[in-house]
Amino acid sequence: MDFKLSLQSETIRSVYPEAPVAVEPTMSVADVIVLMQTEKVAAVLVCDDDRLVGVFTERDVLRVLAERVDLSQPIRAEMSADPVTVNDDSTVGAAIGRMAEGGYRHLPIVSSIRPTEATGMVDVRGVMRYLVEHFPSTIYNLSPKSSRTAAEREGA
Amino acid sequence: MLVCPACGADDLIEGVDQCDHCEQPLTDQFIRLPNSSLEADLLRDRVRDLPAHEPLVLGPDATVGEALKKMVAGGVGCLLIVVDKALVGIFSERDALLRLGVQGVDLHDKPVVKYMTPNPAVVSGGDKIAYALQRMDVGGYRHLPVMEGDRPVNVISIRDILRYVTEHDRTATV
């Protein structure tokens, strides 16, 4: 399928959304960081009884470490509240546009029927994989630089 | 138009059995260069066509605290560690999470070189954007230093590439 066409027709299910790691708003910042390390995730959803209230990402980790924030306080105090989301029926193109526009690398996916219920997370790495997979396979074999030296046929 | 995958020549006549320029056989790889599509742009444009960001750099004697504060103040996800302007490592948000973790608040006085990723993957300005994207995908990186010799001159991020994709594909922004 044409790449352009697939960007606007395929849904975000194609960009490998991950089952999100969710935490309660009352969990401590320290516990959340440890959870992110053990689960090897770059972002967690903060959910209050299925209702998405915020996200906490690597960028937030960097900030709390830099500011030496008290890590025993609840994650609610340090999360990014009301995150930008995508619907589970959004297209790949829409998700990429939203990520590029806001500089987000993670977008919680919410149910199109119940917009407060998070069902997954789009990670920029999934988007990257999607783009790479939609290249012609020969790109994998391309040398990074063109090694073209002679503009003229030899002997011509 | 036919493109040679080996040398990048793009003025080949469709149907030729080998590249006029590098003499690579082409019989099993007929790659059409699509006219004006995102795919063609990714194959054509180079890393130097992406916006330039002056990389944030620190010397080898910098501390974790300096690094963290500099990244937060600069709003960036990574900084480069250089010795005599030559790149020796990268310290990213990922390193902050995985290598510092909750102890990070107490490690502000430690040298950042202990926690950086040494010898990171890099690209050069003449590399194709498609190649940079593939490097990021394979290594799971979100940043790549752009080198001129052993000196980093720019840092490109996955965000730059996403923006490039949206700019070169109007439908993505709808």
Side-chain angles (χ1 to χ4, degrees):
Chain A
M1 187 166 27
D2 177 52
F3 191 30
K4 198 161 184 159
L5 185 65
S6 59
L7 272 183
Q8 53 183 317
S9 59
E10 289 190 69
T11 71
I12 46 169
R13 273 186 289 276
S14 312
V15 296
Y16 309 99
E18 294 167 12
V21 177
V23 299
E24 299 269 316
T26 50
M27 197 168 176
S28 76
V29 175
D31 287 348
V32 172
I33 292 177
V34 171
L35 183 71
M36 289 169 79
Q37 285 178 315
T38 52
E39 297 287 328
K40 293 205 162 47
V41 291
V44 293
L45 299 177
V46 184
C47 293
D48 195 356
D49 274 350
D50 282 354
R51 202 170 62 85
L52 177 71
V53 293
V55 290
F56 187 77
T57 71
E58 276 179 352
R59 180 138 297 193
D60 299 308
V61 173
L62 191 75
R63 182 178 46 79
V64 301
L65 294 183
E67 293 170 0
R68 290 180 143 152
V69 163
D70 174 11
L71 299 184
S72 65
Q73 60 180 324
I75 195 70
R76 183 193 279 125
E78 296 298 333
M79 70 185 187
S80 307
D82 301 322
V84 171
T85 59
V86 285
N87 285 343
D88 52 12
D89 56 359
S90 299
T91 63
V92 173
I96 293 179
R98 204 158 287 184
M99 280 183 157
E101 197 182 308
Y104 307 115
R105 287 171 310 198
H106 302 92
L107 293 174
I109 304 167
V110 293
S111 158
S112 47
I113 306 153
R114 297 173 56 194
T116 57
E117 190 184 310
T119 59
M121 177 103 85
V122 183
D123 183 320
V124 74
R125 274 184 296 169
V127 173
M128 200 150 70
R129 177 140 319 136
Y130 173 88
L131 292 175
V132 169
E133 279 176 358
H134 282 71
F135 290 154
S137 59
T138 40
I139 291 200
Y140 280 110
N141 305 323
L142 270 182
S143 66
K145 297 173 192 62
S146 76
S147 52
R148 187 176 178 181
T149 44
E152 295 287 317
R153 216 181 284 246
E154 258 180 71
Chain B
M1 198 165 27
L2 180 67
V3 191
C4 171
C7 73
D10 57 5
D11 54 352
L12 305 176
I13 300 157
E14 236 165 83
V16 292
D17 290 342
Q18 73 176 169
C19 175
D20 282 353
H21 301 281
C22 67
E23 300 186 348
Q24 282 290 314
L26 296 170
T27 43
D28 56 347
Q29 40 196 351
F30 285 92
I31 312 157
R32 282 163 179 281
L33 187 62
N35 292 327
S36 79
S37 81
L38 174 60
E39 220 166 299
D41 293 345
L42 281 165
L43 265 168
R44 184 198 61 223
D45 287 348
R46 309 283 166 162
V47 166
R48 70 170 70 92
D49 300 322
L50 292 171
H53 311 284
E54 187 76 12
L56 289 188
V57 296
L58 280 177
D61 46 2
T63 62
V64 167
E66 279 174 66
L68 293 174
K69 284 174 194 141
K70 193 162 183 155
M71 287 163 79
V72 171
V76 296
C78 80
L79 52 79
L80 307 180
I81 314 298
V82 295
V83 176
D84 294 336
K85 291 189 177 167
L87 181 71
V88 295
I90 191 166
F91 182 76
S92 67
E93 287 172 343
R94 171 86 38 94
D95 296 319
L97 171 67
L98 295 181
R99 300 184 187 204
L100 296 176
V102 285
Q103 278 80 43
V105 288
D106 302 319
L107 298 171
H108 277 221
D109 298 331
K110 294 280 189 286
V112 71
V113 287
K114 268 184 77 177
Y115 303 97
M116 71 178 187
T117 303
N119 305 314
V122 297
V123 289
S124 72
D127 291 346
K128 296 186 175 85
I129 293 178
Y131 174 77
L133 183 55
Q134 195 232 336
R135 286 223 82 164
M136 287 184 174
D137 177 44
V138 170
Y141 312 123
R142 289 175 313 206
H143 301 92
L144 287 174
V146 182
M147 307 294 286
E148 238 168 52
D150 60 358
R151 287 193 314 122
V153 292
N154 190 5
V155 173
I156 55 164
S157 70
I158 180 64
R159 192 191 298 186
D160 296 323
I161 293 184
L162 289 188
R163 194 161 294 153
Y164 174 91
V165 169
T166 56
E167 280 168 7
H168 287 248
D169 179 81
R170 282 180 302 108
T171 59
T173 54
V174 178

